[in-house]
Structure formats: C-alpha cells, structure tokens
C-alpha cells in the first residue's frame, strides 16, 4: 500500500498534495510569496488531518528540488528533512519545471515550462503532455532570455513563472499570444503533481533517496554567493 506526499515550494505557492494507491486524495495550494516557512507545517497538517492520514502512513514523498526560488527551495527541503528525520519515507527529488508541466490541465500539447531566473536568464525545459502526464523532451537548462525565445515556436504552450517578480520582462515579447500562460493566473496544484509523478516512479528504486540526502538544485549561484566571491 502506497501513500505518497507531494511538496512544492519552488515559487510563490506553498503547494501540498497527497496520493493513496495511485489516486489523488487532497491538494492544498496557497499563494504566499516569501512566507513559506510560516505556512508549510500548517498546510501539511491540514492535508493529513483532512484526509485522515497519519504521518507514519506516508511511504514515499516527491518534492520539488529546483530550479526556483532560493529561499522557497531551501525551506521546503529543510522542512522535509526535519519531518522525516525519524521516519522511513523515501524521497524523490523532482524538477520544479516538471511539476509545473504536470500540474497544467492540458492534453496532447507540447509544453515549455519556464521560470524567470533574473539577471537576463531563464530556467526552462520541454515536455509532451499526454493522458494527463508530462513526459520530458528536453532536460532542464538555464539560458539567456534571447536564447530561450529562440527555442520557442508556434506549437509550444509556454507556462511562464515570474516567481512573484512584478517587474519581470523575461516573457514580455510573448505577451498577447495565446500560447503564453502565466502560472499565477492558473490553478496549478504543483504539490499534487509532485505526488503524482512520484507515484508513477515507486518501482524505480534507484531514483529514491533518504531525506538527509536531498539537496536543492539551484542551477545558479545566489546573488549573495556571487557577491562574496
């Protein structure tokens, strides 16, 4: 019997989901930019209590490990390590770009998931969405905005996440096109998407890790780290 928790704190949403025997049970997403630390424990408590699931029943957890917000990723993974310190749940690190594409309610589409990485760069990856599942076409990459725009064509649905940065211009040249969808205007249950991806990969034992071994995949150095150098 599998009970799979999903956690995504890679952007402005604190998103938690739960799957039981490959079926979605509950999802909770809250738009709380810069406040993940104050809300994540309450969100998980709500999900478990509402579903009647005890923390000890969780056999596996899928967590969005990056790229994304430096602070958000760190908070989600730090919470995970504390929560499962004395429990045996196995953890699957999941690309934030993958959980974004998985959470999008589309089918038979070519999807480009993209995040504004600031300083003229974009995180992106390409997926095919079929039967509710996002299947990877291209690996996660970080490129200049100009290079990113050259990879996008008229067949792509672009999911653009500005990560709460209101002055973002990374996707400005695509504004007004039907293929551009800003994630803050969609109802994306990314935590449930993480749980769903993890549920499909339970049998792939080599992918799973202990909570202590999970690290964020920032894909870029933080501004503070660059400044220290």
């Amino acid at each position: 019997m599998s009970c799979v928790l999903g956690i995504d704190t890679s952007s402005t949403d604190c998103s938690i989901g739960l799957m039981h025997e490959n079926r979605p049970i509950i999802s909770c997403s809250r738009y709380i930019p810069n406040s993940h630390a104050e809300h994540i424990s309450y969100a998980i408590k709500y999900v478990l209590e509402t579903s009647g699931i005890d923390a000890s029943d969780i056999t596996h957890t899928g967590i969005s490990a990056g790229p994304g917000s430096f602070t958000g990723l760190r908070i989600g993974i730090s919470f995970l390590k504390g929560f499962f310190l004395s429990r045996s749940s196995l953890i699957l690190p999941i690309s934030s770009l993958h959980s974004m594409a998985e959470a999008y309610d589309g089918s038979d589409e070519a999807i480009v998931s993209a995040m504004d990485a600031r300083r003229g760069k974009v995180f992106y990856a390409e997926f095919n969405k079929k039967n509710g599942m996002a299947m990877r076409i291209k690996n996660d990459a970080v490129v200049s905005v100009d290079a990113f725009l050259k990879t996008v064509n008229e067949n792509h649905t672009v999911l653009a996440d500005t990560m709460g940065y209101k002055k973002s211009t990374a996707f400005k040249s695509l504004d007004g096109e039907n293929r551009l969808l800003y994630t803050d205007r969609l109802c994306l249950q990314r935590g449930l998407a993480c749980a769903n991806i993890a549920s499909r990969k339970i049998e792939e034992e080599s992918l799973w890790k202990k909570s202590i071994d999970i690290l964020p995949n920032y894909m870029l150095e933080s501004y503070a780290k660059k400044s220290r150098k």
Side-chain angles (χ1 to χ4, degrees), residues 135-205:
M135 311 305 293
R136 184 179 290 279
I137 301 300
K138 290 184 179 180
N139 290 331
D140 294 2
V142 55
V143 297
S144 69
V145 171
D146 288 341
F148 164 72
L149 293 173
K150 290 177 181 178
T151 69
V152 178
N153 61 52
E154 64 277 4
N155 296 317
H156 289 132
T157 296
V158 180
L159 302 179
D161 187 347
T162 62
M163 294 197 287
Y165 183 44
K166 294 182 180 180
K167 296 181 179 180
S168 174
T169 59
F171 312 109
K172 186 175 182 180
S173 65
L174 298 175
D175 279 352
E177 298 188 21
N178 292 333
R179 58 183 174 150
L180 176 67
L181 301 173
Y182 284 102
T183 58
D184 60 354
R185 302 171 192 172
L186 301 173
C187 184
L188 297 184
Q189 302 297 314
R190 299 192 201 186
L192 187 61
C194 285
N196 198 25
I197 294 168
S199 292
R200 295 201 302 266
K201 296 183 179 293
I202 285 180
E203 302 302 323
E204 300 180 48
E205 297 181 2

Side-chain angles (χ1 to χ4, degrees), residues 11-208:
S11 188
T12 51
D13 286 357
C14 178
S15 188
I16 312 298
L18 194 64
M19 301 276 293
H20 185 259
E21 294 297 294
N22 297 317
R23 293 187 301 108
I25 300 298
I26 189 172
S27 178
C28 174
S29 290
R30 305 183 70 178
Y31 180 79
I32 47 170
N34 305 317
S35 300
H36 292 81
E38 292 89 340
H39 292 268
I40 186 170
S41 60
Y42 294 106
I44 289 181
K45 181 180 180 182
Y46 169 79
V47 164
L48 294 178
E49 289 183 350
T50 303
S51 61
I53 299 292
D54 190 84
S56 61
D57 296 327
I58 298 172
T59 58
H60 299 77
T61 298
I63 186 167
S64 178
S69 162
F70 281 80
T71 302
L73 293 171
R74 188 165 60 249
I75 289 170
I77 291 174
S78 296
F79 176 87
L80 178 84
K81 290 184 176 184
F83 191 71
F84 288 109
L85 186 62
S86 59
R87 300 182 178 94
S88 57
S89 177
L90 292 173
I91 315 298
L92 179 69
I94 294 170
S95 161
S96 311
L97 299 169
H98 191 177
S99 66
M100 188 193 307
E102 181 82 14
Y104 171 62
D105 185 20
S107 60
D108 298 322
E109 293 183 54
I111 294 174
V112 172
S113 294
M115 289 178 161
D116 185 347
R118 311 283 181 88
R119 301 191 292 277
K121 295 185 180 297
V122 172
F123 301 120
Y124 87 101
E126 185 178 339
F127 303 87
N128 268 344
K129 194 71 181 286
K130 289 188 177 181
N131 300 319
M133 297 183 291
M135 311 305 293
R136 184 179 290 279
I137 301 300
K138 290 184 179 180
N139 290 331
D140 294 2
V142 55
V143 297
S144 69
V145 171
D146 288 341
F148 164 72
L149 293 173
K150 290 177 181 178
T151 69
V152 178
N153 61 52
E154 64 277 4
N155 296 317
H156 289 132
T157 296
V158 180
L159 302 179
D161 187 347
T162 62
M163 294 197 287
Y165 183 44
K166 294 182 180 180
K167 296 181 179 180
S168 174
T169 59
F171 312 109
K172 186 175 182 180
S173 65
L174 298 175
D175 279 352
E177 298 188 21
N178 292 333
R179 58 183 174 150
L180 176 67
L181 301 173
Y182 284 102
T183 58
D184 60 354
R185 302 171 192 172
L186 301 173
C187 184
L188 297 184
Q189 302 297 314
R190 299 192 201 186
L192 187 61
C194 285
N196 198 25
I197 294 168
S199 292
R200 295 201 302 266
K201 296 183 179 293
I202 285 180
E203 302 302 323
E204 300 180 48
E205 297 181 2
S206 62
L207 301 178
W208 294 86

